[in-house]
Amino acid sequence: MRIPQLLVLLLLLITCLPYDAVNRPSGHPVTAQKQTVTANDILRELNLARQNPAQYAAVLEQLRPLYKGKYLAKPGQVMLVTKEGVKALEEAIRFLKKAEPLPALRLSKGMSLAALDHVHEQGWNGNTGHRGTDGSTPDKRLARYGTWLYTMGENISYGGDNARDVVIDLIVDDGVPDRGHRKNIFNPNFRVVGAAYGPHAQYGTICVMTFAGEFKEN
């Protein structure tokens, strides 16, 4: 199991990844939540990337001119300091152009509630990571609402202004040598997903995604 570490992204993947990788944009300030992002917004963006990876590469290509060395300056947003600069973006574009399309993920109400529990907890206390203050882990949070089957994982992103920002940062996976967060999104064994988004005391926003092979709702 790996629960690994960018824009502050965290990923747990039960059979191949550890409970700890955290990706944080250097110097990312606390900002007010700018808009409401729904579970369906996250689902739509994930499926755009999974079902049409070559087309999604064109979305990432639009970011090239926004890099100045290690800095990424998106219009209307605070400049971010990346670890790899445009190199990670280019590698992600190459990956997407070669990737095979995957089936769309289905949204699970129970899995989304598990994600929302973690959003609510970390949102007010400003913590990061996969473990809750009550000691809960991603699999235990899922167990509150049903039973996951075959495999499961969790992504956490901090600081994203919208669903596209969140998904792009997970795919680029700046600073993560094995690109584990990207692997999670493009894992063909994942068929269902839960998602929740809200304000975060330290990084402005938090988005939690839970993945599974299948999920039996309570």
Side-chain angles (χ1 to χ4, degrees):
M1 171 200 281
R2 173 189 181 187
I3 303 181
Q5 249 190 177
L6 206 261
L7 176 84
V8 183
L9 318 165
L10 293 162
L11 157 81
L12 159 72
L13 180 56
I14 273 205
T15 41
C16 36
L17 308 167
Y19 253 153
D20 64 8
V22 183
N23 297 294
R24 299 188 180 120
S26 302
H28 198 292
V30 176
T31 57
Q33 186 176 351
K34 295 184 178 180
Q35 65 180 59
T36 298
V37 177
T38 68
N40 278 308
D41 293 332
I42 299 296
L43 175 71
R44 188 178 304 112
E45 200 66 28
L46 287 170
N47 283 336
L48 279 174
R50 279 174 62 99
Q51 293 184 286
N52 302 286
Q55 292 181 27
Y56 206 79
V59 176
L60 271 65
E61 287 174 333
Q62 296 173 14
L63 298 178
R64 277 194 187 112
L66 306 182
Y67 279 85
K68 305 297 180 185
K70 295 289 181 70
Y71 294 94
L72 173 59
K74 295 181 182 179
Q77 298 185 25
V78 174
M79 183 177 291
L80 300 180
V81 182
T82 69
K83 295 180 180 179
E84 301 176 60
V86 75
K87 173 186 172 184
L89 178 76
E90 296 291 2
E91 193 271 331
I93 291 169
R94 290 194 298 273
F95 168 86
L96 290 169
K97 287 182 175 180
K98 294 178 181 179
E100 294 294 326
L102 293 172
L105 295 166
R106 307 188 312 274
L107 189 65
S108 161
K109 179 179 179 180
M111 293 173 67
S112 294
L113 289 172
L116 186 61
D117 284 350
H118 207 46
V119 166
H120 282 163
E121 179 186 312
Q122 292 198 340
W124 71 264
N125 65 27
N127 287 348
T128 61
H130 294 284
R131 188 175 294 275
T133 55
D134 60 354
S136 65
T137 52
D139 55 318
K140 290 180 179 178
R141 289 190 289 273
L142 284 176
R144 297 168 184 166
Y145 302 101
T147 304
W148 61 269
L149 302 173
Y150 311 123
T151 184
M152 62 81 62
E154 179 179 87
N155 283 0
I156 308 178
S157 171
Y158 303 88
D161 286 342
N162 52 60
R164 177 150 294 181
D165 279 355
V166 169
V167 172
I168 286 176
D169 284 319
L170 287 161
I171 291 173
V172 173
D173 226 0
D174 177 66
V176 181
D178 67 355
R179 309 302 190 206
H181 311 98
R182 181 194 304 164
K183 290 177 182 178
N184 214 20
I185 291 175
F186 291 95
N187 185 336
N189 296 314
F190 288 149
R191 298 301 178 94
V192 289
V193 66
Y197 179 97
H200 188 268
Q202 182 176 0
Y203 289 102
T205 65
I206 174 175
C207 180
V208 177
M209 306 173 198
T210 57
F211 300 87
E214 290 294 342
F215 189 75
K216 292 184 177 180
E217 310 272 349
N218 282 345

